[in-house]
Amino acid sequence: RKVSLDHVGCSRNPLDKEGDARFEKRFRYLMLFSARGHRELAKFGQGNLRPKAPLQIPTYLGWSMEDDSKQYSNYEDLALYIHPDFRGVFFHDQGHRPPNLLKNTPQCIQLDAFVDSARVDLEYKVSQTKEVLMYKDFWLPLLREPLPVVSTVAPRKLLVVEDPLGEHGPAPTEAKDRRRFPAQESPDVCAKRLEIYRWVTGTTAADFAAEAAAIAGGAAVVEIMEVPFRPEHHGLPWHPEVKSRDTSVAYAAGQGRSRWMQAEDEISLPWVEARRVADELLEQLALGVDDVVGIVGLGTGAHVAFALAEAMMNRRRLLPVRLFTVCPPTVWPFEDAPTLGALVNTPIRYLTCPQSVAGPPWRLETATCGAFSHSHFEDKSTMVKLVMEEMTTLGSD
């Protein structure tokens, strides 16, 4: 009855917990190495297979931060669907393969204790290691508050946080150089997502203002407010410096940064600096306590938009009615990162293209106890229209 499962098994275990007779009492524990769960908008309704509550089954999870199969936040996301009291976590440096854990290492000692407890039906006591503590206060799914009631008469404003780096990211023409990786995405798919990302980072407040005027027939219902960066904000080290990988070798141990970890998907600027920027931006904004305020952040600007929403709540006691994050970085610094429910019940919309290789947005998803939803777009006009139509029709239903 001892089992070792990958991501397929983790999709079946929820069925046991939800009363599916085919899987009833089939699982006593899980061992998951480099295993990922289901995306909300994945094909064939895979999002519906995600657990409806954190699984309370002893589980030992391990992955490599250098995994060449997927960005490691995929593995973090899956871990959150295991209840923290049942979740053991360890990291290794051996890529995507099942790790060879050396005897007497902390990882091997923890694995032995896990297997021994499962073999003799003892209660599994999770060791409070550094890795376990990193995720201890996060879990999914969350019980969520309904959408807030929105006034139809109060002033309605959309704060547009453009990308502080302007249009940036690899050019679509670089896609042809990436085909040398084994099992790499096709060059045309890669070129499409690179093109869309550059569209997003080049989008400005003027694009939203034009759409607002078009929707309202020239008399805008939503006031578009550009959030003005200071000159020094543009030069901050928002993303890590990334060196080119040796494309002749993949999936091997010790290869360094995963080929799926795009520099644009990771924030390297410490949270204390990001919050300082947000405070400085907030000082420049004229917002009334009764205003209906939404925020849209674009690319790197989506990270700033999150910090701005946090600052609005803490300093102005004003909760955004929507936070739109468009192609946001999904890997954040751990130190001083926002806690679970940091934005209280602020509704968050996560907008990406279907071709995106960014990891799951679990940081955003756990940051609110309000609504969280995910939508796709494949061109700039569709993205702008999606945001503006939602802001315009708030409260109309």
Side-chain angles (χ1 to χ4, degrees), residues 79-394:
L80 301 192
Y81 285 94
I82 307 299
H83 191 288
D85 291 344
F86 296 80
R87 181 203 305 155
V89 177
F90 76 98
F91 301 155
H92 62 83
D93 62 356
Q94 298 175 46
H96 188 61
R97 69 183 187 182
N100 180 18
L101 302 182
L102 299 179
K103 189 175 181 179
N104 296 326
T105 60
Q107 295 94 332
C108 188
I109 292 171
Q110 295 163 37
L111 179 60
D112 285 344
F114 178 84
V115 173
D116 287 344
S117 67
R119 185 174 61 243
V120 296
D121 281 334
L122 290 176
E123 180 184 358
Y124 172 51
K125 295 182 179 179
V126 178
S127 300
Q128 299 303 300
T129 63
K130 178 181 177 182
E131 292 90 341
V132 166
L133 294 176
M134 288 170 67
Y135 307 101
K136 182 176 177 60
D137 295 325
F138 296 93
W139 61 85
L140 286 171
L142 299 176
L143 294 175
R144 298 198 177 275
E145 295 289 325
L147 290 170
V149 177
V150 177
S151 170
T152 58
V153 297
R156 191 166 297 199
K157 300 176 179 179
L158 178 66
L159 308 182
V160 180
V161 186
E162 299 174 1
D163 196 305
L165 302 176
E167 183 176 317
H168 68 100
T173 54
E174 295 181 37
K176 64 180 181 297
D177 294 328
R178 305 189 178 199
R179 73 180 72 188
R180 291 176 289 176
F181 276 123
Q184 174 64 303
E185 61 188 332
S186 64
D188 58 327
V189 172
C190 181
K192 181 64 175 178
R193 68 172 173 82
L194 296 179
E195 179 184 40
I196 291 173
Y197 186 81
R198 291 187 69 90
W199 285 344
V200 168
T201 58
T203 300
T204 67
D207 295 308
F208 291 93
E211 182 62 28
I215 290 176
V221 174
V222 181
E223 179 185 355
I224 305 300
M225 299 176 63
E226 178 185 349
V227 177
F229 286 103
R230 295 180 180 180
E232 61 269 25
H233 296 161
H234 299 290
L236 292 172
W238 293 102
H239 303 290
E241 293 289 335
V242 178
K243 295 181 179 180
S244 299
R245 276 279 306 274
D246 175 8
T247 57
S248 64
V249 180
Y251 298 111
Q255 286 301 301
R257 187 181 180 87
S258 170
R259 63 194 173 108
W260 293 108
M261 181 69 80
Q262 313 294 298
E264 297 78 24
D265 293 336
E266 180 178 4
I267 290 292
S268 58
L269 190 73
W271 271 104
V272 64
E273 287 295 306
R275 291 187 173 107
R276 178 184 60 79
V277 170
D279 288 343
E280 293 171 352
L281 297 177
L282 184 59
E283 290 176 359
Q284 307 173 71
L285 300 175
L287 302 173
V289 294
D290 294 324
D291 289 350
V292 174
V293 181
I295 309 176
V296 58
L298 304 158
T300 308
H303 190 72
V304 183
F306 182 97
L308 180 60
E310 193 178 41
M312 284 173 52
M313 181 187 70
N314 293 333
R315 298 187 180 278
R316 300 277 186 92
R317 299 296 185 265
L318 181 61
L319 287 175
V321 295
R322 290 291 188 279
L323 172 60
F324 300 92
T325 59
V326 187
C327 295
T330 56
V331 178
W332 298 355
F334 267 95
E335 187 174 1
D336 299 321
T339 57
L340 185 144
L343 295 187
V344 192
N345 64 341
T346 300
I348 297 179
R349 298 280 279 116
Y350 174 64
L351 309 180
T352 59
C353 63
Q355 299 84 1
S356 173
V357 297
W362 69 265
R363 287 288 191 182
L364 291 168
E365 194 168 357
T366 59
T368 182
C369 293
F372 180 87
S373 57
H374 184 181
S375 295
H376 283 156
F377 65 91
E378 292 197 78
D379 58 75
K380 177 176 174 177
S381 61
T382 299
M383 179 269 291
V384 172
K385 183 173 292 187
L386 187 156
V387 172
M388 289 312 309
E389 287 183 348
E390 186 161 339
M391 278 299 299
T392 302
T393 58
L394 288 177

Side-chain angles (χ1 to χ4, degrees), residues 38-47:
H38 299 284
R39 297 289 192 95
E40 179 181 354
L41 298 184
K43 294 180 179 178
F44 311 117
Q46 293 180 53

